Structures are given as structure tokens and as C-alpha cells.
Amino acid sequence: MNALLTAIRHRVNSRLGFFGLVVILFWLKTLLAYTLDFSLGVSGIYQYFILIINPLAITLIFFGIALYIKKPWWSYLTLLVLHAANTALLYFNVIYYREFTDFMTINTITGFSKVSNGISGSSLALTKGHDVFYWLDIVVLLVLLLARLIKVDKKPLPRRLPWALTSLGVVLFAFNLTLGEIDRPQLLTRTFDRNYIVKYLGIDAYTINDAFKTARNDQVRASASTSDLASVQQYIKQHYAAADPQMFGLAKGRNVIVIHLESFEQFLIDDKIDGKEVTPFLNSLYHDKQTYAFANFFHQVGQGKTSDAENLLETSTYGLPEGSLFSQLGSDNTFQAAPAILQQTQGYSSAVFHGDVASFWNRNNVYKNMGYQNFFDKSYFDAAGDRSIGYGLKDKLLFKDSVKYLEQMQQPFYAKFITVTNHFPFEMDSEDTDFPKADTADSSVNNYFQSAHYLDQSVEEFFAYLKASGLYDKSIIVLYGDHYGISNTRNLDLAPLLGKSADDWTAYDDAQMQRVPFMIHIPGVKTGSVQQQYAGEVDVLPTIEHLLGIKTKRYLQFGTDVFSSQHDQVVAFRDGDWVSPQYTKAAGNVYDQKTGTELTKLTKTQQTQVDDNQNRVTTALRLSDKLNNGNLLRFYTPKGFKPVQPQNYNYTDGFTKLAQLRETLGQKSTSLYSQNHDHSTADLYQTDAPEAK
């Protein structure tokens, strides 16, 4: 034992040994944070291995700066300062995470007021007993150095050693990044949750990546000015489509309930597996005379997937060409989104119901900037054990458990439900489904029909509650598929189920598979039908606004009302391709939209039409990117609109705040709970979910 202690003391008394000790200590405290303070959703040996090694690469590179300093005392002091600074970064993230279940961005670090105002109460209340271990080693090392129990090694290091350690750190980081990309492709470019960056690459790498993106965004924004709005305003003015007088105000004063059908594609409507309808309830809704359903409605998302779909619907602007607008720009961008517009024009309250964590896609920040008054995320529900699958609380439970919050909201309200169960790889617990799987070579394709059937049942149960509670007749219900469920790489396995040969499958077919459902169900209206006009997610907001009797001409929105005779039927995809009633442009080729035949030789008239469509799409995407990247809406406030103040929104204790508002309003309260003589309607909800029994 004495020999071992002597060997350790000898090693620590060398500069390289002391460096190794500091690296190990910081590595251990990072693992402490991963284990006790952060909830990173790690599963499986592979992810745990990545988690264990991810602090080492950047730590070696960062702490290695001290080894380039030749003067021994300065080298040791620099190493301790770097160690303390990195510990501070780690610990401040721990404190921030305990309050917000999220990690600090560069903007929150540089703007401390945002952090101090956001963290409720005293930071002392957020501390825990084990926090002493984040700082104890620094104090002990400093004392040992000052007491000369650890001696400063005055021998010079080999000249190439610092470079060797830096190179080792770079190689280790490349190895770490490769492992992360294997498990989570497009890890850095398609950032949907800060948890993922930390889980795969560590706190330091996350902070560096965020700093890079912030600097890039700040540079673009710093050069932006009011004059940059001119081209955007001109395009939108020319592109505006006036409302159909017969449809304008058709749903005025009604609640708006938006149901986000995760990964739900249009081909599921009226589809069957083994003679059984996959989505019998949605099929009936699709053909209901109270529903305006759209046969040629396309998703328009990019790498931001679900978050892009939300942005398109809420703001009528496009996502970014790379990454997620929510994640990259959403924390600080100025929005003129649906919840704020409806609140300021017609007094709507607003809420989102979602069974995943609030930080996913940066929603906890973006929703505040959009003006959402309430956000009921996973923390508001019992999502333990078999109540969750994949990306959060199962859909049947989400709808059922949301009722106690929904009934407290003041009417009219704008409420969005984000489902998650129908998500790749579409796996289901056996007790949740008895629907048959498809029979293809791809398991995720086979599973897709089961999870879609479960989603259909979830929506049916929710509709039954709306009718039983009386909300149904006071609302319009908007349902839409956010993006594709089966990716292009799996379409060949799906093709036979659609009556198509895999050998004949082309880019045209991939483009047609971007169809997703869009239905506007208005109880009491008898003029609904299956509409044939082409439209995309960017068109939803102006359509809903006009149905509610809200004039849209003053807002900067890239979509057009689908019911307008002036509606633009050229639907842009985020990659620059497009579809229209006449043509499809996909993978560099032009196809006849009706026949799917590739048009290798275009007539002069055809070429003019194609070029005009392409120019229209390219211009819209470019100007939308200009608007969002430059945060140009900060320079433009429509008449009668007040800029959203995100600091006014706090998503903690949502139920209490709703109940307190209801009690304050007294007889003026318009909540369903009040209208039901202060009795809950939760017992009206019927579900066959086994987890609810």
C-alpha cells in the first residue's frame, strides 16, 4: 500500500501527472452531473459508452492549453483556472437544468439578466447536498499546492508533448462524433434537443457548438436593417389572396383545437390491412359533410421535421434549409404567430399539450416567443413506466389526462395537441393494439399501420369527450399530418401495399408521398367536402384566420387561404422542389402531375410554366430565410398588434394559474369548468387504454 501511495504521489508531483489528475477529476464530476442532475434519456450499452467518454476529448484540448505555458507556476495556475472555469460552466448548467430542464445557451450566459429573472426564487433553493463535490477538488488541489504537499514540477516538458495531447483530444473527439452520428445521424446539423448534443458530445462541445451558431446568427442579424424588409413586404403584398366572402368568419368565436397527427401520411386514409380499415374514425371524419378535407395537401418540412411543421402552421413562414428554426433561432426570434394573433384580435387563450419534455425542439422557449400562455408538457402528466413509449406519453393518455387542464381554459381558446405514439420505428406495446401488422421486408413499415390505428382510436375517444362535454359544438377541430412517416429509403418496401411496383418507383412517387391529411371539422356546417386544390402547411394559418373572421393582409405570411380563388397552388418543398396541379419537380426532373410521366422534352409553354413555378418557389424560400435569419419581424409591427413579451410567460404551475384566473373572473369565467357549475368533466372521458384502468 505504501509503495502504491508513493507511486501516486510521485506521479502527481510531475506536471503531466498533475494534468492527468485534473482531467480525471473533471471527468468524474461531469459523470456525476450526468448521473444525478441531468436526464439525458440514455439507453443501451452503446449510448452509455458514448456518455462515459464524451467529456474527455474537449477536456484534453481545453486543459491542454496550460501545458503550452513554459513557466511552471503559471502553467499550474492556468490549469486550475481552466478547471475552475469549466467547473463553473458545468455547475451553472446544473442549476439552470434543475429549474428549466434545459441547458444554458450562449445568449443566457452573456445575458445574465435572462437567467436571473428566469430562475424563480433564490438559487440557493436549487442547490443539493452533493453539489459540494463539484467544487471540493478545486479547493483541495489549491490547498495541497500552497502547502507544497503537491510539488510544482519545474522540469520542462518535452516540446512535442502538448501538441501530442491536443492531437489526441482532436482524434478522440472525431471518434466520439462518429459514434454519435452513427446512433443519431445529422447530430449537429439537425439539432432538435440540446439533451442530444450533451448526451453524445458533452457540455463543452454543446457550448462551443451553440457559440458558433449564435455567432453566425448574430452576424446575420447585426447586418440586417429595416430596409431588408422591403423585398419581403413586396412579395407578400403581391402574393396575398383575398378571402372567399362565403367562408370568411364562418367559424368566428369558436374554440380552435389543433390535433397534430404525428408522422401521419395521406395514403392511410381509406387504406386497409387484411380487409380492416387502418383509420376508420379518421376515414369517417374525412368524408363527413361537416369537414373540409384536402386530398392534395403536402407537408413542407426540412430537417426540423415536427418543429418545422409547427413553425409553418403557427407563423406561415418556412423552416430553415438546414437544421431546425426552433432550435437555432427560436429562443430569440420575433414571431407573429397564431396564439398571439388570436389573443390580440379576438381574446383567445392558448395552450399546447404534449407528452414529451418541454425542451424538445426548444419548445419551452419558442412557445413563449409565439405568445402561448400555457404549455403542458410531460412534467404535467404521469408518464412513468408503460404509460410512455418512444417519444413520450401515449396518445390515449395524453388526450384523457389533458382534460383537467383544458376545461379550466377561458373560451374561446386555441389549443394544440401534439401526439407522439405514431413515431418511427412505430413500435407498440402488445396490450395497446390488436390490429394486424403489414407483411413487408421492413419492420417499421409493418408497425406503421398498427400505431396509426392506435392514433385513430385516440382521436375518436377525444372527439367523444368533446361531444359529451359540450365543447364540440363550440369548436372547430383542425387535424393535420406533420410530416412523412415512411422515409423515401423505405418507400420501396411500402410500394407493393400501394399497388405499385418497387421497380417502377421514381422521384415523382417520393414527392407524392409527401401528402399528409389536412381536415377542418366545423360542427353544424353542412357544406364540407373533399377539396382538390393543392396546398401546403404554410397555407394553414391564413386559412384559419379567415375562417375566424381575422383579416390577414397586415401580417407577413407566405401562405394563402386555401378557400380563396387567388390561392397559390404551387407547393414548395424545403429542398427547392415543388408540386402543382400540372407538374411535379423532384430530384432535378419534371413530371406530369396527373400521369407521373417524366417530361424529358418540354414545350416552350411548359418550360415557361415550370420556370415560373421554380422562380416562385425559390423566391418564397429565399425571402422566408431572409426574414427568419435576420429576425426582420423585430422591425415590423402590424397595425393593432403588440410585440410578444416572452418574459410574461411561465409554464410552471399551469393548473393553479388557470384555476386562479377562473376564480378571479367568477361569474364572468367562460371556462368549461365554470359552465359545468364548477364540476369537472374529466369523468366523461372514456378510454380503453389499459394503463388508465
Side-chain angles (χ1 to χ4, degrees):
M1 178 62 73
N2 289 334
L4 178 61
L5 291 174
T6 301
I8 293 174
R9 188 181 300 113
H10 175 73
R11 178 64 64 185
V12 171
N13 282 331
S14 70
R15 196 188 311 186
L16 185 59
F18 184 74
F19 173 82
L21 174 63
V22 174
V23 168
I24 290 172
L25 288 172
F26 185 77
W27 172 63
L28 289 174
K29 69 177 69 177
T30 304
L31 295 183
L32 175 70
Y34 288 169
T35 305
L36 298 182
D37 293 303
F38 300 149
S39 179
L40 300 176
V42 181
S43 62
I45 296 175
Y46 187 85
Q47 289 190 2
Y48 274 106
F49 175 72
I50 296 176
L51 190 75
I52 290 171
I53 68 169
N54 79 35
L56 292 174
I58 302 298
T59 302
L60 280 174
I61 296 171
F62 186 52
F63 287 10
I65 294 172
L67 298 181
Y68 288 91
I69 299 175
K70 295 181 179 180
K71 293 183 179 180
W73 262 108
W74 282 106
S75 178
Y76 276 73
L77 181 60
T78 301
L79 180 58
L80 285 179
V81 169
L82 293 173
H83 183 36
N86 224 19
T87 297
L89 176 66
L90 175 65
Y91 186 66
F92 289 156
N93 270 286
V94 166
I95 294 296
Y96 192 80
Y97 194 90
R98 287 172 184 166
E99 176 72 6
F100 296 107
T101 319
D102 199 2
F103 297 99
M104 296 177 68
T105 65
I106 291 298
N107 287 325
T108 56
I109 294 172
T110 56
F112 179 73
S113 61
K114 293 182 180 180
V115 182
S116 59
N117 289 336
I119 298 179
S120 59
S122 171
S123 296
L124 186 62
L126 297 172
T127 60
K128 295 184 178 181
H130 67 265
D131 289 2
V132 66
F133 294 108
Y134 288 114
W135 299 101
L136 183 61
D137 65 314
I138 298 174
V139 175
V140 171
L141 287 175
L142 186 59
V143 170
L144 291 176
L145 278 170
L146 293 175
R148 299 185 182 277
L149 294 175
I150 293 180
K151 296 180 180 180
V152 174
D153 182 10
K154 297 182 179 180
K155 295 190 298 293
L157 290 172
R159 182 180 301 178
R160 296 183 179 179
L161 182 60
W163 287 104
L165 286 172
T166 301
S167 300
L168 175 62
V170 171
V171 171
L172 184 58
F173 180 76
F175 174 66
N176 187 176
L177 179 60
T178 300
L179 293 179
E181 284 283 346
I182 291 172
D183 201 49
R184 178 60 62 181
Q186 298 177 309
L187 177 62
L188 294 178
T189 57
R190 187 176 161 257
T191 306
F192 40 81
D193 191 341
R194 298 185 180 100
N195 273 3
Y196 280 80
I197 302 294
V198 175
K199 178 170 73 172
Y200 289 107
L201 300 179
I203 281 285
D204 289 338
Y206 155 72
T207 304
I208 293 169
N209 181 60
D210 185 67
F212 173 77
K213 292 192 299 182
T214 300
R216 182 181 60 188
N217 295 336
D218 287 348
Q219 184 178 11
V220 172
R221 295 179 184 204
S223 62
S225 65
T226 305
S227 61
D228 293 320
L229 267 172
S231 56
V232 177
Q233 290 176 292
Q234 182 180 8
Y235 170 83
I236 289 176
K237 182 178 180 180
Q238 294 173 345
H239 194 240
Y240 171 75
D244 181 338
Q246 293 184 336
M247 301 298 291
F248 188 79
L250 184 65
K252 187 172 183 177
R254 294 194 185 214
N255 302 315
V256 179
I257 299 174
V258 177
I259 300 179
H260 170 113
L261 303 172
E262 171 64 39
S263 304
F264 197 100
E265 294 188 36
Q266 176 68 16
F267 76 83
L268 290 168
I269 299 295
D270 293 332
D271 195 26
K272 294 181 179 180
I273 294 292
D274 293 349
K276 298 181 178 179
E277 288 184 281
V278 180
T279 58
F281 178 71
L282 290 174
N283 295 348
S284 65
L285 205 62
Y286 185 77
H287 298 290
D288 195 311
K289 290 298 182 183
Q290 298 178 101
T291 302
Y292 295 93
F294 295 82
N296 297 302
F297 183 83
F298 295 80
H299 81 76
Q300 298 172 286
V301 309
Q303 293 178 343
K305 299 288 286 288
T306 297
S307 68
D308 279 1
E310 289 190 76
N311 177 69
L312 283 154
L313 263 77
E314 304 283 17
T315 72
S316 192
T317 67
Y318 296 93
L320 300 178
E322 181 180 282
S324 162
L325 186 147
F326 269 32
S327 298
Q328 294 179 202
L329 304 176
S331 294
D332 299 289
N333 254 29
T334 300
F335 293 100
Q336 292 164 11
I341 293 172
L342 268 60
Q343 193 279 321
Q344 294 189 29
T345 56
Q346 296 188 355
Y348 277 71
S349 62
S350 56
V352 180
F353 301 91
H354 184 38
D356 202 354
V357 295
S359 62
F360 200 80
W361 288 125
N362 195 29
R363 289 185 175 102
N364 52 331
N365 293 310
V366 177
Y367 286 163
K368 293 176 183 177
N369 288 341
M370 286 184 165
Y372 268 111
Q373 297 168 338
N374 303 281
F375 180 21
F376 297 97
D377 72 309
K378 186 176 183 179
S379 65
Y380 282 90
F381 305 102
D382 176 8
D386 62 358
R387 293 176 63 86
S388 290
I389 193 170
Y391 283 77
L393 185 67
K394 293 177 181 178
D395 296 342
K396 289 184 179 181
L397 302 176
L398 171 70
F399 284 118
K400 180 181 184 300
D401 294 349
S402 295
V403 165
K404 61 184 176 184
Y405 306 118
L406 184 68
E407 68 179 0
Q408 297 286 340
M409 293 181 64
Q410 297 300 308
Q411 302 182 76
F413 56 68
Y414 176 71
K416 179 168 64 175
F417 292 81
I418 304 177
T419 62
V420 298
T421 307
N422 189 46
H423 195 292
F424 180 85
F426 313 109
E427 295 175 343
M428 296 288 299
D429 290 337
S430 57
E431 64 269 19
D432 288 322
T433 183
D434 58 1
F435 194 78
K437 291 186 177 183
D439 183 17
T440 74
D442 191 298
S443 61
S444 62
V445 173
N446 298 339
N447 296 339
Y448 185 55
F449 299 91
Q450 282 192 330
S451 57
H453 183 73
Y454 176 88
L455 175 55
D456 180 78
Q457 292 177 318
S458 305
V459 175
E460 182 177 18
E461 290 178 352
F462 182 56
F463 263 71
Y465 163 76
L466 293 177
K467 292 178 180 179
S469 67
L471 283 177
Y472 177 77
D473 292 322
K474 301 175 183 178
S475 306
I476 68 168
I477 302 99
V478 179
L479 306 96
Y480 80 103
D482 63 337
H483 54 72
Y484 62 84
I486 307 301
S487 65
N488 287 351
T489 58
R490 290 181 164 83
N491 279 340
L492 296 182
D493 291 306
L494 177 66
L497 298 179
L498 304 179
K500 182 94 175 180
S501 168
D503 294 333
D504 297 330
W505 196 271
T506 67
Y508 166 83
D509 298 296
D510 285 332
Q512 306 314 305
M513 291 298 289
Q514 307 317 306
R515 280 184 176 84
V516 292
F518 176 45
M519 294 179 256
I520 305 173
H521 186 72
I522 311 178
V525 171
K526 301 297 183 183
T527 55
S529 64
V530 177
Q531 308 279 301
Q532 297 301 319
Q533 61 266 44
Y534 280 59
E537 290 167 330
V538 76
D539 300 313
V540 173
L541 179 57
T543 302
I544 299 303
E545 287 171 324
H546 283 173
L547 286 172
L548 297 178
I550 299 172
K551 296 180 180 179
T552 63
K553 202 166 189 177
R554 53 185 155 167
Y555 302 109
L556 298 184
Q557 299 172 353
F558 284 81
T560 56
D561 180 354
V562 296
F563 295 114
S564 171
S565 60
Q566 301 167 336
H567 168 61
D568 186 355
Q569 296 195 65
V570 179
V571 182
F573 295 146
R574 184 54 263 195
D575 62 3
D577 285 342
W578 46 269
V579 294
S580 74
Q582 296 81 30
Y583 308 103
T584 286
K585 168 74 180 312
N589 301 319
V590 178
Y591 299 87
D592 182 281
Q593 177 60 21
K594 293 182 180 179
T595 65
T597 303
E598 182 180 352
L599 302 176
T600 54
K601 293 183 179 180
L602 298 175
T603 66
K604 186 175 181 180
T605 300
Q606 289 175 327
Q607 188 67 60
T608 299
Q609 289 178 318
V610 169
D611 289 345
D612 178 66
N613 288 352
Q614 186 65 66
N615 180 64
R616 205 180 312 178
V617 167
T618 302
T619 300
L621 294 174
R622 175 177 58 81
L623 291 176
S624 178
D625 291 343
K626 184 177 183 179
L627 180 77
N628 286 319
N629 285 323
N631 193 20
L632 298 184
L633 284 179
R634 60 188 157 141
F635 302 125
Y636 177 75
T637 303
K639 183 178 180 181
F641 184 85
K642 295 180 180 179
V644 173
Q645 302 298 322
Q647 66 272 18
N648 293 339
Y649 303 107
N650 188 322
Y651 296 143
T652 59
D653 299 323
F655 178 82
T656 301
K657 287 184 289 188
L658 287 176
Q660 288 176 343
L661 175 60
R662 172 181 54 77
E663 292 172 359
T664 300
L665 291 172
Q667 293 183 349
K668 294 182 179 179
S669 172
T670 59
S671 71
L672 176 63
Y673 187 90
S674 298
Q675 294 178 349
N676 197 42
H677 308 293
D678 290 349
H679 287 88
S680 176
T681 60
D683 59 344
L684 297 176
Y685 204 103
Q686 301 296 315
T687 179
D688 64 2
E691 303 87 354
K693 297 176 181 177

